[in-house]
């Protein structure tokens, strides 16, 4: 499977560059949403299977190395879930895709003669709003998993 590289010229050279940019963003959000959904299910099922298998292996008096190996798998899946947050990414990309899809639909419902600068500006504003919202959500998610650096709201150790 090859990755397709998208350049800025792909949408900038289109007859309606704002619509082409919105469609490019829609494709990105759809791919990311679907990939995040699959990763979410894989990590949840993997963690569930590994955790339950650990209990079964211990109950069957399996060798310690096997029980530890299975438990390590459960820890791995939990770490992947915490590190990549696929469930949160799935939700954010789903919201972004839906918001942008509705804006594109509103734009496309206009007769071509009415797709003037104001309509293009409204679509462009939605594209930017969706991008800013996704960036804020990502930033908030990253802020929850990391402690603030010294001098950025962290209290001194012995204060």
């Amino acid at each position: 499977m090859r990755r397709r590289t998208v350049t800025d010229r792909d949408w900038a050279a289109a007859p309606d560059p704002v619509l082409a940019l919105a469609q490019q963003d829609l494709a990105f959000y759809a791919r990311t949403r679907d990939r995040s959904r699959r990763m979410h299910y894989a990590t949840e099922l993997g963690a569930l299977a590994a955790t339950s298998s650990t209990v079964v292996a211990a109950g069957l008096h399996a060798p310690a190395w096997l029980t530890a190996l299975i438990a390590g798998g459960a820890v791995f899946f939990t770490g992947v879930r915490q590190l990549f947050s696929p469930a949160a990414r799935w939700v954010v990309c789903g919201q972004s895709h839906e918001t942008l899809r509705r804006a594109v639909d509103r734009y496309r419902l206009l007769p071509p003669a009415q797709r003037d600068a104001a309509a293009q500006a409204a679509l462009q504003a939605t594209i930017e709003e969706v991008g800013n919202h996704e960036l804020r959500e990502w930033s908030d998610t990253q802020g929850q998993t990391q402690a603030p650096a010294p001098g950025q709201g962290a209290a001194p150790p012995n204060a």
Side-chain angles (χ1 to χ4, degrees):
M1 182 173 188
R2 286 182 27 190
R3 293 181 87 178
R4 191 178 135 224
T5 304
V6 178
T7 63
D8 288 342
R9 285 181 239 119
D10 289 344
W11 60 266
D16 191 343
V18 177
L19 180 60
L21 177 62
Q23 289 173 326
Q24 178 180 311
D25 283 359
L26 272 174
F28 166 78
Y29 289 127
R31 282 190 315 271
T32 305
R33 177 199 62 206
D34 294 344
R35 184 176 51 242
S36 297
R37 185 188 70 241
R38 286 189 302 270
M39 187 174 179
H40 168 69
Y41 284 135
T43 57
E44 292 298 315
L45 289 172
L48 180 63
T51 304
S52 59
S53 297
T54 301
V55 174
V56 171
L60 295 175
H61 302 291
W65 66 267
L66 180 61
T67 305
L69 184 67
I70 297 169
V75 171
F76 171 78
F77 284 114
T78 301
V80 167
R81 181 182 350 162
Q82 290 177 352
L83 183 62
F84 295 109
S85 303
R89 186 80 175 130
W90 176 19
V91 170
V92 169
C93 284
Q95 289 173 335
S96 297
H97 182 270
E98 187 61 22
T99 301
L100 193 54
R101 185 194 60 78
R102 289 178 183 185
V104 167
D105 288 348
R106 280 192 303 275
Y107 182 79
R108 284 183 169 167
L109 285 172
L110 294 173
Q114 291 181 2
R115 295 180 187 171
D116 58 358
Q120 291 177 344
L123 182 57
Q124 177 67 31
T126 303
I127 293 169
E128 291 172 3
E129 178 185 317
V130 165
N132 287 337
H133 177 262
E134 184 191 9
L135 183 59
R136 257 190 322 275
E137 290 292 324
W138 177 83
S139 177
D140 289 347
T141 301
Q142 295 304 308
Q144 292 173 1
T145 59
Q146 297 174 354
Q152 295 181 353
N158 294 322

